[in-house]
Every structure is written in structure tokens, then in C-alpha cells.
């Protein structure tokens, strides 16, 4: 973020002093941005000694001050200074994400990285306030600007945020999201040795995750397909049911269909009695046909009679 100092210039009325930022735009923040910078530095100092909880507290306090800057109607900030505020806000979210990653809070770290790129829900809700929307419109009147937070950020900051997201999703074992975040980070990362090495390491980890999930899926369905194959498959089961039906006498077929017809919605109970008494060969341990298989076999038999 640019320097927070402002130049004071007297107006025609000597009792009123207008201040301007380093870009020459009107500026009045009542010291909020200076306090944000102090809190950010305090958070960085806490992070350096490994006190991540304290660092998160400092970053959250700084983010709260920036919400006031956006909401307070009396604060005046030009468009170029507002762009600096957006970058500072996203940097604070990403710093918070780093702390949460160190604490192995993967979900929360991913959320903070997304807030770096897109803003938080609280920040988004602020833009429903008419005064905030008017302030943003006024700041952007003389400049072409994107409404997307990510488009306002430096490339390096965007690359770090997507890289952080990829690592979080890797820990959460959400391969698809991790891979998409990795690709975005790689597309934004300059071809430097350090960044290339980090991306290569992350890609190798993602490939291990992909193989692990593929193996897990294979084991998950292996038993199902083995069982289906042992039973001869669905088509073979229908053929067996049809063969058992064909082996019944006309009297046995008539009695079984009457039982099914009288059962109403009690299909399973009627079928169980009929199958046990009539459909299985003597000394057979094979289960009787299902209701659907029996009705299909009956329809096929009736069709052949005609």
C-alpha cells in the first residue's frame, strides 16, 4: 500500500483545511488508515515469532478498521487511494490465511484466501448500503474500474492466494478444486526458480492425491462388481427366474399368481411364500426370484402362449 501521509492545503477560507492524498485527490480518513498499518505491522511481528493466534487478532482488528473506512459517510477517499485500500484489505486476508494454514485449520484458511480474492461476506453486504455504493461510484467517476476485487489486485498477490487455496484443498483432499486453484496460480506465477520449485512440489502432491483417490474408488467398487459377477450379472438372474417359472406346472403357476394378486401391496411376503413352496428345485439353496423378475417371466410365458 502507498504511503499514508497526506498533504494539507488551505482553502480560501483560512479556517477550513482540506487534505489531499499522494495522488492529489481529496482525502479525509481521520487516521483510520494509519491505525490499519500499525495493526498490520503488529500482526506481522506476532507471525514472525510464531504467535499465530495473536497475529490473527491484529489482522482482524485492521480489517474491522477498513470496514469503518468503507461505511463511514464522513470519510473521503479518492478512487486511486481506494484501490490501495482494496489491496491492503486483500493482503490482510491472505496474511490471516497463512496463520490459519500454520494452525492446520484448512477450511478457515481456504475461506480467508477466497476473501483475499473476492472480499468477505461482511464486506459484500456493506455494498447494499446506499451511502457505500454512492461513495464507490463517486470515487470511480473519472476512472474505468472493475467491480471484481481480484481484478484490482497485483498479479503476485493473486498468484499467492490461488496457491494458498490449492494447498488448503490438497489438505482437505478435494482434488478437483485443488487442481483448478493450482492451474490458476501457475498461470499467474512468473518463471522464477523459487516459485517453479514450489509449484512443482505442489503438483507432485496433487498427483499423489489423484492416485490415492483413484485407488480408493477402485477398492470401493471392487466388491460390488465381484459380487455381481459371482451372481452371473443381472441378465443371468432374469434367465434363471424365467427358467424356474417355465419348470412349474400350470397349477403351480396359477396358484402362485393368485397369491401375488391377493397380496395387494404385500409383495415381498406373498412372493416369499410362493417362492419357498413352489419356485425352488428340491434341496436347492438358491433364493427365489424377485417380484419384478417373476412378473417379467410371467409376461414372457403369456406372450409365448399367444
Amino acid at each position: 500500500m502507498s504511503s499514508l501521509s497526506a498533504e494539507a492545503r488551505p482553502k480560501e477560507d483560512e479556517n477550513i483545511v482540506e487534505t489531499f492524498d499522494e495522488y492529489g485527490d481529496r482525502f479525509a480518513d481521520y487516521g483510520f488508515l494509519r491505525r490499519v498499518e500499525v495493526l498490520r505491522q503488529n500482526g506481522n511481528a506476532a507471525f514472525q515469532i510464531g504467535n499465530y493466534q495473536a497475529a490473527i487478532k491484529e489482522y482482524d482488528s485492521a480489517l474491522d478498521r477498513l470496514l469503518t473506512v468503507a461505511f463511514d459517510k464522513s470519510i473521503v477517499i479518492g478512487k486511486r487511494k481506494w484501490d490501495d485500500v482494496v489491496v491492503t484489505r486483500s493482503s490482510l486476508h491472505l496474511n490471516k490465511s497463512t496463520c490459519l494454514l500454520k494452525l492446520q485449520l484448512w477450511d478457515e484458511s481456504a475461506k480467508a484466501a477466497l476473501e483475499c480474492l473476492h472480499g468477505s461476506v461482511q464486506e459484500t453486504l456493506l455494498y447494499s448500503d446506499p451511502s457505500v455504493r454512492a461513495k464507490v461510484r463517486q470515487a470511480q467517476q473519472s476512472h474505468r474500474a472493475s467491480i471484481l476485487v481480484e481484478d484490482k489486485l497485483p498479479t503476485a498477490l493473486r498468484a499467492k492466494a490461488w496457491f494458498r487455496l490449492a494447498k488448503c484443498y490438497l489438505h482437505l483432499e478435494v482434488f478437483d478444486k485443488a487442481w483448478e486453484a493450482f492451474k490458476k496460480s501457475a498461470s499467474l506465477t512468473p518463471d522464477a526458480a523459487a516459485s517453479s520449485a514450489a509449484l512443482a512440489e505442489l503438483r507432485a502432491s496433487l498427483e499423489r492425491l489423484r492416485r490415492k483417490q483413484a485407488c480408493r474408488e477402485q477398492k470401493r467398487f471392487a466388491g460390488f462388481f465381484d459380487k455381481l459377477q459371482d451372481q452371473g450379472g443381472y441378465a443371468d438372474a432374469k434367465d434363471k427366474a424365467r427358467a424356474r417359472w417355465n419348470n412349474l406346472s400350470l397349477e403351480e403357476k396359477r396358484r402362485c399368481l393368485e397369491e401375488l394378486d391377493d397380496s395387494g401391496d404385500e409383495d415381498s411376503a406373498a412372493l416369499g411364500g410362493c417362492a419357498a413352496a413352489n419356485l425352488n428345485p428340491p434341496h436347492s439353496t438358491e433364493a427365489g426370484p424377485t417380484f419384478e423378475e417373476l412378473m417379467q417371466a410371467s409376461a414372457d410365458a403369456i406372450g409365448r402362449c399367444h
Side-chain angles (χ1 to χ4, degrees), residues 118-138:
H118 307 307
S120 68
V121 174
Q122 191 176 12
E123 290 158 359
T124 302
L125 288 176
L126 273 178
Y127 284 90
S128 64
D129 184 273
S131 64
V132 175
R133 292 202 305 270
K135 180 186 293 187
V136 174
R137 284 197 301 269
Q138 182 180 5

Side-chain angles (χ1 to χ4, degrees), residues 3-292:
S3 172
L4 298 178
S5 61
E7 178 186 358
R9 299 178 183 176
K11 291 184 66 176
E12 294 181 1
D13 186 346
E14 295 183 356
N15 295 323
I16 300 177
V17 177
E18 259 193 342
T19 56
F20 295 81
D21 61 26
E22 62 270 31
Y23 302 109
D25 298 324
R26 291 182 61 244
F27 177 76
D29 77 327
Y30 307 102
F32 271 94
L33 295 184
R34 188 177 297 108
R35 288 194 287 274
V36 166
E37 180 63 17
V38 171
L39 290 167
R40 186 186 68 83
Q41 292 176 2
N42 291 344
N44 291 347
F47 178 85
Q48 291 298 326
I49 62 175
N51 194 346
Y52 304 124
Q53 295 286 6
I56 290 172
K57 184 177 180 180
E58 295 293 330
Y59 295 142
D60 280 338
S61 295
L63 288 167
D64 287 343
R65 299 297 194 286
L66 289 179
L67 285 175
T68 302
V69 170
F71 186 77
D72 194 323
K73 299 177 183 179
S74 65
I75 292 178
V76 179
I77 295 182
K79 189 269 171 187
R80 286 172 289 188
K81 193 69 173 179
W82 178 257
D83 285 347
D84 290 343
V85 171
V86 170
V87 173
T88 297
R89 187 180 64 193
S90 290
S91 298
L92 289 167
H93 282 304
L94 191 60
N95 289 352
K96 182 179 175 180
S97 175
T98 305
C99 294
L100 292 166
L101 188 74
K102 293 288 187 181
L103 295 171
Q104 299 186 4
L105 299 173
W106 318 126
D107 276 315
E108 295 181 37
S109 179
K111 178 183 175 183
L114 284 172
E115 288 174 341
C116 166
L117 292 165
H118 307 307
S120 68
V121 174
Q122 191 176 12
E123 290 158 359
T124 302
L125 288 176
L126 273 178
Y127 284 90
S128 64
D129 184 273
S131 64
V132 175
R133 292 202 305 270
K135 180 186 293 187
V136 174
R137 284 197 301 269
Q138 182 180 5
Q140 295 179 345
Q141 278 179 354
S142 59
H143 301 272
R144 295 180 62 185
S146 171
I147 61 173
L148 298 177
V149 172
E150 184 178 357
D151 292 343
K152 297 175 180 289
L153 305 180
T155 301
L157 184 59
R158 295 166 59 196
K160 289 179 182 178
W162 285 115
F163 185 84
R164 181 69 39 71
L165 268 176
K167 292 190 71 173
C168 291
Y169 289 139
L170 173 66
H171 285 293
L172 293 169
E173 297 192 352
V174 185
F175 174 78
D176 291 342
K177 289 185 176 181
W179 181 247
E180 288 302 316
F182 166 80
K183 289 194 296 184
K184 289 185 178 182
S185 177
S187 68
L188 295 167
T189 302
D191 189 16
S195 58
S196 297
L199 285 169
E201 182 180 354
L202 178 58
R203 179 169 189 150
S205 298
L206 288 171
E207 180 59 26
R208 287 193 294 270
L209 174 61
R210 185 193 65 78
R211 290 197 301 266
K212 177 182 177 181
Q213 291 188 339
C215 183
R216 185 184 300 166
E217 289 296 308
Q218 186 177 10
K219 290 180 179 178
R220 178 183 176 188
F221 290 106
F224 170 77
F225 290 116
D226 290 344
K227 183 177 180 181
L228 186 62
Q229 186 63 33
D230 291 341
Q231 294 176 348
Y234 177 70
D236 288 349
K238 290 177 63 178
D239 292 339
K240 290 179 180 179
R242 186 176 294 109
R244 289 197 298 272
W245 173 264
N246 290 336
N247 288 331
L248 297 177
S249 67
L250 290 176
E251 180 61 24
E252 288 172 331
K253 291 177 181 178
R254 182 189 63 78
R255 187 168 66 252
C256 188
L257 290 175
E258 286 178 351
E259 289 182 22
L260 289 172
D261 186 57
D262 293 341
S263 66
D265 292 332
E266 303 293 331
D267 294 332
S268 58
L271 180 57
C274 180
N278 303 309
L279 297 185
N280 291 330
H283 309 296
S284 173
T285 59
E286 189 173 6
T290 64
F291 177 72
E292 291 81 1

